[in-house]
Amino acid sequence: MTGSGGHDIRNEVSGGLFFNAVVQGHHVTLQLPTSLTPALTGMPSPSPAFTGRNSETDMLLESLGSNPEAAGPNQLIAGLPGVGKTELALQVAHRALKTPGLLTGGVLFIDLFGYDDARRVGPHKALGSLLRALAVPGEYIPEETEDRARLYRSVLAAYEANQRRILLVLDNAMSSAQVRPLLPGGGSVPVLITSRHTLTDLKARVLDLSVLGPQAAVELIDRSLNEVVGPTDKRVAQEPEAAGEIASLCGRLPLALSIVSALLADTPTRPLHSMVAALRDARSRLERLSREDLAVRAAFDLSYHHLQPDQADMFRLLPLNPGPDVSTEAAAQLTGASVHAAEALLLLLARGHFVEPGSSYGRWRMHDLIRLYAEDLSRTQDPSEDREAATDRLLEHYVIAASAADTHVDVGHVPSPLFSDRDSAFSWLDAERHNLVAAALAAPEWGRPAVLLLLHYSLVDFQSQRRHFDECAELALATLKAIRSSDEPALREAEASVLNNLATVQRELRRFDAAVATYYESLQLQERDDHPADTPATLCNLGLTYQQMGRPEEAVGVLRRAMTLTPSEPSRVRGMICNNLGKALHDLRRWPEAVEVYHEDIAICRSVGDRRGEGVTLNNLGMVLRDMGKPAEAVAVFERALEAAKETRDLYSESLAEANLGWALAASRSNRGPQEAIDRLTRAIHTLESLGDEHMASLGRNQLAMVLIQAGCPRRAIDPLMSVLETSRKFGDSHTHAMALTNLGTALELSGRYGEAVHAQKDAVGLYRELGERHREGQALLNLGLAIRRTGDLKSAIKAFDASATALKETEDDGSCMQALKIRDETARLRRRRLRRWLMRSHRKSRRP
């Protein structure tokens, strides 16, 4: 090539490598180093405490590839400040250097300081540093950035051509403009980039690095202490729970964990629980997470200062939402912007890892420490009136939307057009559930107790159908506290209603004594405040509580009283009274009366358009028919109940109908076979478990065990029944425990484990006797006699059958009484035959000479 002065220009590298003519006007001969050492390229040493990133490390090492043609594209490690992006890149680079034949030319590492205005390295300066690291003498490095970039790419290509493969690590980049001039010309030189932004326009493969897992976070603390203090530091092993809490309070962020580890290493005698106490105060946590030149807040500051004003405003206001995540619509309410504008801001914040996408599209969450940082900024920078206005907009949004959703959950209301249908309303409530509860609980502290009451009312039916009873109880108790500390008449008048809701939740949680007391407290307030219209509904709930406590006589009395206070025309309250009365009559074995009131309730439900209530009552009616010995009719009714539950998207009622239908199919000896019954019961149990209703799930397992016994698989029934016993013991549910014991005794007997069967049946008899359930005691005595007979003790078996017949006769179950007497007589004849055989053998022995 001829230069401007007419001279030939040669650019060559010793060892036979030749550069394209990129250095103008000079003859260039370069002596390349045998390798690029970490010291030469500025690559720091990796941390020996590194942990929890095995899969990410392996993936990045694989992407480097020993074959340049098979190597993956450029790799970008993105994540929030302090998440360990640089450390991961260093670990990968050092491990790659140790892999024979992988990086024969070494590693080029440069920290671009993208988020530090004072130290940021632009492309011009970076190219100069990289060229010097590549052994290009300073006098041959061009002044113009474009010339430097051409020389840089040629040098990299020359190394590659000479089988001197290099890994390029561009650390801490802020923008694509800072990175793009530093990328090699071809795809054969692997590149690792780290950034707090995703930089998707670089067309690199993005690894979005998350915080460490709980175990890895604790392990990082342990390794760091062992590295500094030595293996004698056993604090993590001695206080594992405290170590786990420290990790959680640090948000499992590696930077925060490293700072805490350094602080603990400074004082080897400091126990971990002392650090926990120091970090628990959220107001001072960020200040405590600092040591010398390391600080979580400083790392966040570097990113925050690069936000545009509207992005910064959104970022600071997001923590006003008290829940775990926020929807785009709710975020728009905080800023007063349109949903479209809010989404654009959130996407930019997500790109910089100030927020991250939530569990579904359109939802966003913040790391705990980022959230504290934003909250601190908001308190110091945002006027109180702006924060108040943002809070008001957010709460108004939640109250209006929750009330609209409730009109689709509670069929007694006209559906709000804010939601297109019931499914969309439930989907919104499922997504916003935790935010709504958090907002409700925070409202009194913000001076807005009415918001708590309104959200409690809007959520109570949803929480009931989804079985979120603990949350419902928490809201009800908080609402009562707010009401009783308020002078607002409108709030005070709601006390009886909230008490009724609380008692209902207590009943569902099987805290029956507390529920009864709370219902009576509500009734007293209704009488005091002259609100008689509310009394029938409360009595209806009280009657159901007595029924579930195993006190059906009291239940019938309360429910009959409620019926007299209710107008005779169809209403939802009258229908519920009929339904609960039917349950109590069922328990008293007054089956025809139960069937009659259930039919009345079904007629009421159809009259008022309560399809969900109709399904519930059909389910109860089917159980009466089943116990009346009409399993085929029960199957038909359960199928109608299941259809109604599916129509109304009532998962809970659907699972109950599914379970009862499975049991009825087995009892009716349906030609569909026992497997369908087993499959239905299994599905119902899984649904009930997913809804968090352990009690009803255990009842489903009890039914499943009975079907398995009927299907000739008693051994398979034992494990479900053991699970029922464990659950009933946990909840103190003696009725279910006794029922599971007698079924377990049957399963054990049919499995040939006669001694264990006798023991289980004796326990069941004793428990039913304590509960005063004479009829069930009689049934358990019958099962006890059968188990004893298997052991050969016919005399004791006959006694058990006699006792069973007596109990069943007392409770007017003539059919079962006759069955017990028949089995007793058969056993007595068997005993007489055995006695005769024994006497004959004894007589023959006595006549022997």
Side-chain angles (χ1 to χ4, degrees):
M1 177 177 180
T2 303
S4 58
H7 303 288
D8 289 337
I9 297 172
R10 288 182 298 113
N11 300 308
E12 54 182 52
V13 180
S14 62
L17 297 181
F18 176 75
F19 288 117
N20 292 327
V22 293
V23 182
Q24 305 297 321
H26 298 280
H27 296 288
V28 181
T29 300
L30 300 179
Q31 178 66 45
L32 301 183
T34 55
S35 66
L36 299 176
T37 65
L40 181 64
T41 63
M43 186 165 67
S45 299
S47 169
F50 180 77
T51 186
R53 304 291 194 195
N54 291 338
S55 61
E56 293 90 344
T57 303
D58 292 344
M59 185 273 289
L60 290 171
L61 283 171
E62 184 180 355
S63 74
L64 297 180
S66 57
N67 178 7
E69 295 182 358
N74 298 338
Q75 303 288 326
L76 172 68
I77 306 172
L80 73 160
V83 80
K85 303 180 292 296
T86 298
E87 184 59 43
L88 176 59
L90 288 173
Q91 294 287 337
V92 170
H94 280 279
R95 294 186 193 185
L97 276 175
K98 295 177 182 178
T99 303
L102 184 57
L103 298 178
T104 52
V107 176
L108 277 176
F109 179 95
I110 184 168
D111 188 343
L112 298 175
F113 295 103
Y115 297 89
D116 189 333
D117 292 340
R119 295 192 291 171
R120 185 177 303 116
V121 178
H124 184 272
K125 182 178 179 181
L127 286 166
S129 298
L130 291 169
L131 284 168
R132 280 187 286 274
L134 287 165
V136 176
E139 63 268 24
Y140 295 129
I141 297 176
E143 280 301 317
E144 297 297 325
T145 302
E146 291 183 1
D147 290 340
R148 288 186 175 194
R150 281 195 293 269
L151 176 59
Y152 165 72
R153 288 171 185 143
S154 295
V155 172
L156 286 176
Y159 272 87
E160 191 72 19
N162 199 34
Q163 306 300 312
R164 306 265 292 282
R165 192 164 183 254
I166 292 172
L167 168 64
L168 176 61
V169 181
L170 305 176
D171 185 41
N172 207 12
M174 188 184 77
S175 66
S176 299
Q178 192 181 17
V179 171
R180 195 171 284 111
L182 311 182
L183 297 176
S188 58
V189 178
V191 183
L192 272 181
I193 308 161
T194 75
S195 177
R196 300 177 185 185
H197 287 76
T198 50
L199 308 183
T200 52
D201 53 335
L202 286 178
K203 298 182 180 179
R205 182 177 295 163
V206 178
L207 169 59
D208 208 329
L209 201 60
S210 62
V211 296
L212 292 172
Q215 184 175 351
V218 171
E219 189 175 348
L220 177 58
I221 298 172
D222 191 37
R223 288 189 179 187
S224 298
L225 291 176
N226 277 268
E227 183 66 24
V228 178
V229 181
T232 58
D233 194 310
K234 303 295 184 184
R235 282 178 283 181
V236 171
Q238 291 167 351
E239 296 187 84
E241 291 185 5
E245 189 168 355
I246 289 173
S248 178
L249 290 168
C250 290
R252 306 200 306 274
L253 188 71
L255 172 61
L257 293 166
S258 298
I259 292 171
V260 166
S261 300
L263 292 171
L264 288 167
D266 289 342
T267 313
T269 58
R270 183 177 187 176
L272 297 192
H273 65 262
S274 169
M275 182 62 73
V276 169
L279 294 175
R280 274 182 180 159
D281 187 351
R283 294 168 297 181
S284 62
R285 192 178 306 160
L286 287 176
E287 280 65 34
R288 294 183 183 278
L289 290 175
S290 62
R291 179 182 178 272
E292 297 178 357
D293 59 340
L294 289 177
V296 171
R297 182 185 292 279
F300 294 165
D301 281 340
L302 290 175
S303 292
Y304 175 74
H305 290 154
H306 292 283
L307 291 177
Q308 295 299 313
D310 54 352
Q311 298 171 28
D313 291 344
M314 169 72 83
F315 173 67
R316 293 194 308 274
L317 290 175
L318 283 175
L320 289 177
N321 179 67
D325 64 359
V326 67
S327 68
T328 303
E329 292 78 10
Q333 296 297 327
L334 285 169
T335 59
S338 68
V339 173
H340 178 74
E343 182 179 44
L345 291 173
L346 288 163
L347 286 170
L348 289 170
L349 290 174
R351 190 167 177 262
H353 290 86
F354 293 93
V355 300
E356 57 186 11
S359 56
S360 59
Y361 175 74
R363 304 199 68 80
W364 313 88
R365 61 175 180 259
M366 304 178 85
H367 183 272
D368 289 348
L369 297 181
I370 286 277
R371 184 189 184 100
L372 287 176
Y373 174 72
E375 204 167 6
D376 284 352
L377 289 176
S378 181
R379 286 199 185 98
T380 57
Q381 297 184 21
D382 294 325
S384 59
E385 57 269 22
D386 290 354
R387 288 167 55 84
E388 289 280 327
T391 301
D392 283 338
R393 289 192 299 268
L394 178 70
L395 293 179
E396 183 179 4
H397 164 69
Y398 282 148
V399 167
I400 291 173
S403 178
D406 183 46
T407 63
H408 291 267
V409 176
D410 185 351
V411 295
H413 292 95
V414 177
S416 167
L418 194 59
F419 294 95
S420 58
D421 53 27
R422 200 165 189 268
D423 285 347
S424 63
F426 264 99
S427 295
W428 185 84
L429 287 166
D430 285 330
E432 295 289 3
R433 161 191 162 201
H434 295 295
N435 285 313
L436 294 171
V437 171
L441 293 173
E445 297 178 18
W446 295 336
R448 299 163 177 86
V451 169
L452 170 57
L453 176 64
L454 292 171
L455 287 176
H456 166 60
Y457 279 156
S458 294
L459 291 174
V460 66
D461 285 313
F462 163 75
Q463 289 170 330
S464 175
Q465 291 194 39
R466 285 291 195 251
R467 320 305 286 173
H468 301 317
F469 293 121
D470 286 328
E471 289 178 9
C472 191
E474 185 179 16
L475 281 191
L477 288 168
T479 305
L480 284 174
K481 181 180 178 181
I483 287 172
R484 288 166 177 170
S485 61
S486 173
D487 295 328
E488 290 288 334
L491 285 176
R492 297 290 298 179
E493 288 180 3
E495 185 175 0
S497 174
V498 176
L499 280 168
N500 180 71
N501 292 342
L502 174 60
T504 298
V505 174
Q506 290 169 332
R507 185 193 71 224
E508 292 288 358
L509 292 171
R510 307 193 69 75
R511 301 170 189 165
F512 295 125
D513 291 335
V516 169
T518 307
Y519 279 131
Y520 275 115
E521 188 178 356
S522 177
L523 289 168
Q524 289 170 358
L525 284 177
Q526 291 165 22
E527 184 177 358
R528 185 198 70 183
D529 297 336
D530 194 23
H531 290 158
D534 298 334
T535 300
T538 305
L539 289 172
C540 174
N541 292 329
L542 177 61
L544 178 59
T545 307
Y546 280 134
Q547 181 268 328
Q548 292 181 348
M549 293 173 75
R551 295 158 63 177
E553 291 282 6
E554 292 172 82
V556 169
V558 169
L559 292 164
R560 292 290 190 197
R561 179 187 166 204
M563 193 74 81
T564 63
L565 298 175
T566 307
S568 58
E569 59 267 15
S571 68
R572 294 185 69 201
V573 171
R574 188 174 183 86
M576 287 188 290
I577 295 170
C578 288
N579 182 58
N580 293 343
L581 180 58
K583 290 182 178 181
L585 292 168
H586 184 180
D587 287 348
L588 292 169
R589 300 176 57 77
R590 291 158 61 176
W591 294 326
E593 294 177 72
V595 170
E596 182 181 351
V597 294
Y598 280 144
H599 279 300
E600 181 181 350
D601 183 25
I602 291 168
I604 291 173
C605 289
R606 290 173 179 171
S607 175
V608 300
D610 186 359
R611 181 66 167 146
R612 177 175 173 268
E614 181 184 352
V616 170
T617 307
L618 283 167
N619 194 50
N620 293 333
L621 174 61
M623 289 190 284
V624 175
L625 294 171
R626 178 196 66 192
D627 289 350
M628 291 176 73
K630 300 177 180 180
E633 292 182 44
V635 166
V637 171
F638 285 136
E639 286 176 335
R640 289 164 58 196
L642 183 59
E643 181 183 352
K646 288 181 176 179
E647 283 181 20
T648 55
R649 304 293 193 272
D650 185 350
L651 282 178
Y652 179 69
S653 294
E654 180 181 339
S655 62
L656 296 186
E658 186 95 75
N660 288 328
L661 177 56
W663 167 234
L665 285 170
S668 66
R669 310 291 183 183
S670 168
N671 55 10
R672 302 187 207 177
Q675 191 57 49
E676 181 179 346
I678 293 169
D679 291 343
R680 287 184 180 277
L681 280 158
T682 302
R683 282 197 301 270
I685 292 166
H686 288 163
T687 303
L688 290 165
E689 287 176 335
S690 70
L691 292 172
D693 196 328
E694 292 184 69
H695 171 67
M696 293 308 298
S698 70
L699 293 183
R701 289 192 193 91
N702 187 70
Q703 287 183 313
L704 174 62
M706 293 168 72
V707 171
L708 289 168
I709 291 170
Q710 289 180 356
C713 307
R715 288 185 177 85
R716 288 175 57 191
I718 293 173
D719 283 345
L721 288 168
M722 294 299 292
S723 176
V724 175
L725 289 174
E726 181 180 348
T727 303
S728 60
R729 191 180 295 112
K730 171 184 174 182
F731 287 104
D733 184 359
S734 300
H735 299 271
T736 303
H737 198 79
M739 179 171 54
L741 277 171
T742 191
N743 291 333
L744 176 63
T746 300
L748 290 168
E749 176 203 336
L750 296 176
S751 300
R753 296 160 63 174
Y754 305 133
E756 295 172 78
V758 170
H759 182 73
Q761 297 292 7
K762 283 183 177 179
D763 286 347
V765 169
L767 192 49
Y768 278 132
R769 189 169 294 151
E770 289 178 15
L771 293 169
E773 296 192 16
R774 186 65 167 145
H775 181 260
R776 288 195 171 96
E777 180 188 346
Q779 292 175 320
L781 281 164
L782 177 60
N783 291 333
L784 173 61
L786 293 171
I788 293 174
R789 190 170 68 172
R790 292 277 197 171
T791 67
D793 185 359
L794 301 183
K795 183 178 180 180
S796 297
I798 290 169
K799 288 182 180 179
F801 294 137
D802 276 331
S804 171
T806 300
L808 294 169
K809 187 172 183 61
E810 287 177 11
T811 54
E812 301 179 358
D813 187 354
D814 294 334
S816 298
C817 176
M818 293 299 295
Q819 181 187 13
L821 291 173
K822 180 180 178 181
I823 297 173
R824 181 205 63 183
D825 292 343
E826 291 174 354
T827 308
R829 286 194 293 272
L830 177 61
R831 182 168 182 265
R832 287 194 293 270
R833 286 198 296 270
R834 287 185 178 179
L835 284 172
R836 282 197 296 270
R837 286 198 295 270
W838 180 79
L839 288 171
M840 290 176 65
R841 285 197 298 271
S842 299
H843 181 63
R844 284 196 293 269
K845 286 180 181 179
S846 67
R847 295 179 63 184
R848 289 177 184 172

